Amino acid sequence: MHQYMPKQTIDFITMGCSKNLVDTERLMRQMQEVGYHVTHDAPNPKGSIAVINTCGFIGDAKEESINTILQFAERKQEGKLKKLYVMGCLSERYMNDLMGELPEVDKFYGKFNYMDLLADLKKDFHPELAHERIITTPKHYAYVKISEGCNRTCSYCAIPIITGKHQSRSMEDIVEEVTWLTKQGVKEFQVIAQDLSFYGVDLYKQMMLPELVNRLADIKGVEWLRLHYAYPAKFPYDLLKVMRERDNVCKYLDIALQHISDNMLKLMRRNINAQQTYELMHTIREEVPGIHLRTTLLLGHPGETEDDVQQLEEFVRNIRFERLGAFAYSDEDGTYANLHYTDDIPQEEKEARVERIMNIQEGISAEINAAKVGKKMRIIIDREEPDYYIGRTEFDSPDVDGEVLVKKDRPLTIGEFYQAEITGAEDFDLYANIIS
């Protein structure tokens, strides 16, 4: 009797950011095309091959990546796994060290040569599928990476060391990808890059983010476009007109500011001062009424004084960011800060400063959310849980922002848009009833 032979399974595991996730999704599509069964972040991986896409950004992320590799190396030693491959930022940065320390890994790939895995498995790359991906997020939203690398020289950041100089994708290429994704049923797009603001300067000799966003907003089927990681210095102000005038461009901007005191902005090499930062925030608010701003702040960088922290507290109170994350400084090999400054602020003090900022933000977030009660908002439904449907407004990016808990008084469709009335608010999440 002929026995059915199941396809060989490759388990993919993605660490770190959504930019990594896009790389994984592309590689998964190629592997599927050449005959493999692929899984992503499976709770109980059982494949004969594992591919781990690592993060090398800061200490905690590196540690998590190493621990994951070690778990799979153990599976290999137990005979439960035949081949183990590692790709991404950690192996891009520490390739030689990792090869010496982790002989269980069959091969390491960097950030840009991961498609070589196909050839190493004696399979062909399919260039006609270059825009295609296996979407690992809920099917109604996806991430679109418009560039790689970064030309900024911030003191604390290892990303330019890992990814190199900024490289924009062509507009035609991005439009083609988004068009393909809409045909797969994707309605919401998180437009991502290490530095959105710089998009196009290398290819077109000018900032082209406003033009790109306009073109993407023209594509049939694009319901929401949301922008992540703009840079404050030399901000592309023309973008604000596009955000204000295009209904399907979310009134949302993720712009990492890191600090506000002139002392810290100089030490961090941010190429902007406090006055310019305040003016930029006020201009964005004026030009795009109702916009929700997300920012990231960095506490405990070498040279930070109590006065700097107090200025930052005042800034957070003044600007009232709708979304804010604060993080403790991590001393990363090879960065300007690592080479030129002394990491002399104790870890406990760094974390205490983060907590001070987040305590202020929690109160602001609660007040902003409370002001939404009674308002009608358009939401998209992400998933169903036992007590509620879980949705988001245009002001909520997946995984990083709050959610809307929707009363289950009628069946709703995952991935569909609804009009909802906000009925209650917590510090970060909202409650709502569907009205149409």
Side-chain angles (χ1 to χ4, degrees):
M1 184 176 149
H2 178 73
Q3 189 177 6
Y4 168 69
M5 290 296 289
K7 288 181 184 176
Q8 198 173 2
T9 295
I10 304 182
D11 289 311
F12 284 85
I13 298 90
T14 305
M15 326 291 296
C17 67
S18 47
K19 293 186 284 295
N20 271 6
L21 186 67
V22 172
D23 296 338
T24 299
E25 291 179 342
R26 287 203 175 114
L27 184 54
M28 285 173 68
R29 176 67 186 95
Q30 292 284 338
M31 290 299 179
Q32 181 193 56
E33 187 66 17
V34 296
Y36 289 100
H37 174 70
V38 292
T39 74
H40 186 256
D41 287 351
N44 187 17
K46 292 181 176 159
S48 56
I49 301 172
V51 179
I52 302 171
N53 191 351
T54 56
C55 179
F57 181 37
I58 56 171
D60 289 350
K62 289 189 280 196
E63 191 179 333
E64 189 184 2
S65 290
I66 294 286
N67 288 341
T68 303
I69 296 168
L70 291 172
Q71 284 167 21
F72 279 84
E74 197 174 307
R75 287 193 68 220
K76 193 179 172 198
Q77 286 169 335
E78 291 167 357
K80 295 175 183 171
L81 182 67
K82 285 184 183 159
K83 295 282 184 184
L84 174 57
Y85 300 102
V86 173
M87 60 184 271
C89 293
L90 190 75
S91 49
E92 177 74 35
R93 190 157 185 217
Y94 299 107
M95 181 84 69
N96 292 335
D97 295 346
L98 292 168
M99 284 166 70
E101 289 172 25
L102 294 164
E104 303 89 346
V105 175
D106 290 277
K107 190 166 178 182
F108 289 92
Y109 301 86
K111 184 87 181 75
F112 304 106
N113 69 335
Y114 56 87
M115 285 294 177
D116 292 355
L117 176 56
L118 283 156
D120 292 336
L121 293 172
K122 307 286 190 285
K123 303 291 183 184
D124 292 329
F125 174 72
H126 285 257
E128 74 280 7
L129 304 178
H131 294 118
E132 297 194 11
R133 293 148 48 180
I134 289 182
I135 300 163
T136 59
T137 51
K139 298 299 181 212
H140 52 278
Y141 70 79
Y143 295 92
V144 177
K145 181 162 50 168
I146 65 169
S147 64
E148 283 284 8
C150 185
N151 282 19
R152 313 287 183 173
T153 55
C154 304
S155 62
Y156 48 83
C157 186
I159 285 170
I161 301 170
I162 299 169
T163 60
K165 291 285 185 191
H166 184 105
Q167 288 181 292
S168 303
R169 293 172 61 197
S170 75
M171 279 205 247
E172 292 72 21
D173 201 40
I174 299 164
V175 165
E176 212 172 302
E177 182 185 6
V178 170
T179 303
W180 180 83
L181 286 164
T182 59
K183 288 173 181 167
Q184 314 313 303
V186 177
K187 302 169 180 179
E188 175 188 358
F189 297 85
Q190 326 302 332
V191 179
I192 57 172
Q194 196 51 49
D195 177 6
L196 286 178
S197 312
F198 204 81
Y199 174 76
V201 174
D202 53 329
L203 279 187
Y204 306 107
K205 307 299 176 240
Q206 58 180 317
M207 289 181 175
M208 294 295 277
L209 184 65
E211 169 76 11
L212 175 69
V213 173
N214 245 334
R215 283 209 204 172
L216 297 181
D218 282 339
I219 297 170
K220 190 174 184 296
V222 172
E223 294 271 354
W224 277 353
L225 286 167
R226 194 178 288 105
L227 305 177
H228 278 278
Y229 322 122
Y231 194 92
K234 296 184 178 168
F235 182 82
Y237 283 94
D238 291 351
L239 177 66
L240 301 177
K241 182 174 186 283
V242 179
M243 295 184 82
R244 183 175 68 244
E245 293 181 356
R246 301 304 299 255
D247 287 342
N248 56 355
V249 178
C250 296
K251 308 291 183 280
Y252 178 107
L253 185 64
D254 190 339
I255 180 165
L257 298 174
Q258 309 303 353
H259 222 288
I260 192 59
S261 79
D262 285 338
N263 173 45
M264 289 316 302
L265 292 170
K266 190 172 179 185
L267 286 172
M268 289 181 175
R269 307 173 89 209
R270 296 287 288 171
N271 298 308
I272 194 168
N273 63 31
Q275 185 184 339
Q276 290 165 334
T277 305
Y278 267 106
E279 285 170 1
L280 173 61
M281 294 301 100
H282 292 315
T283 301
I284 293 172
R285 292 250 196 248
E286 282 165 21
E287 292 278 320
V288 190
I291 193 171
H292 280 42
L293 291 171
R294 163 171 275 288
T295 198
T296 308
L297 303 175
L298 182 62
L299 282 296
H301 181 285
E304 185 181 60
T305 65
E306 173 60 25
D307 180 56
D308 295 324
V309 181
Q310 287 179 14
Q311 285 185 54
L312 194 57
E313 288 178 325
E314 185 185 354
F315 178 60
V316 171
R317 287 193 185 99
N318 281 340
I319 300 299
R320 293 177 63 82
F321 293 95
E322 287 78 8
R323 314 276 182 257
L324 183 147
F327 301 91
Y329 170 79
S330 169
D331 190 40
E332 294 301 316
D333 302 334
T335 59
Y336 186 91
N338 170 260
L339 297 172
H340 296 90
Y341 305 148
T342 304
D343 181 19
D344 53 4
I345 299 173
Q347 189 62 27
E348 304 77 49
E349 176 58 27
K350 292 178 190 173
E351 286 167 14
R353 292 177 185 183
V354 167
E355 199 171 326
R356 282 166 62 180
I357 295 295
M358 289 313 296
N359 283 342
I360 295 168
Q361 180 60 27
E362 197 170 321
I364 292 168
S365 178
E367 288 167 16
I368 288 168
N369 266 2
K372 291 177 179 168
V373 174
K375 292 199 168 151
K376 295 174 178 58
M377 303 182 101
R378 189 181 188 220
I379 64 168
I380 194 165
I381 301 296
D382 278 343
R383 64 187 186 278
E384 182 179 358
E385 292 191 352
D387 297 331
Y388 295 96
Y389 286 102
I390 308 296
R392 286 174 296 106
T393 72
E394 71 173 290
F395 310 118
D396 306 308
S397 200
D399 298 330
V400 293
D401 295 327
E403 295 178 315
V404 183
L405 286 68
V406 180
K407 190 176 171 185
K408 287 175 92 171
D409 53 5
R410 65 161 109 166
L412 302 179
T413 305
I414 307 301
E416 286 298 321
F417 288 93
Y418 295 90
Q419 281 296 120
E421 182 177 355
I422 307 303
T423 57
E426 291 181 347
D427 290 350
F428 297 106
D429 293 329
L430 298 170
Y431 293 85
N433 293 337
I434 298 299
I435 48 179
S436 67

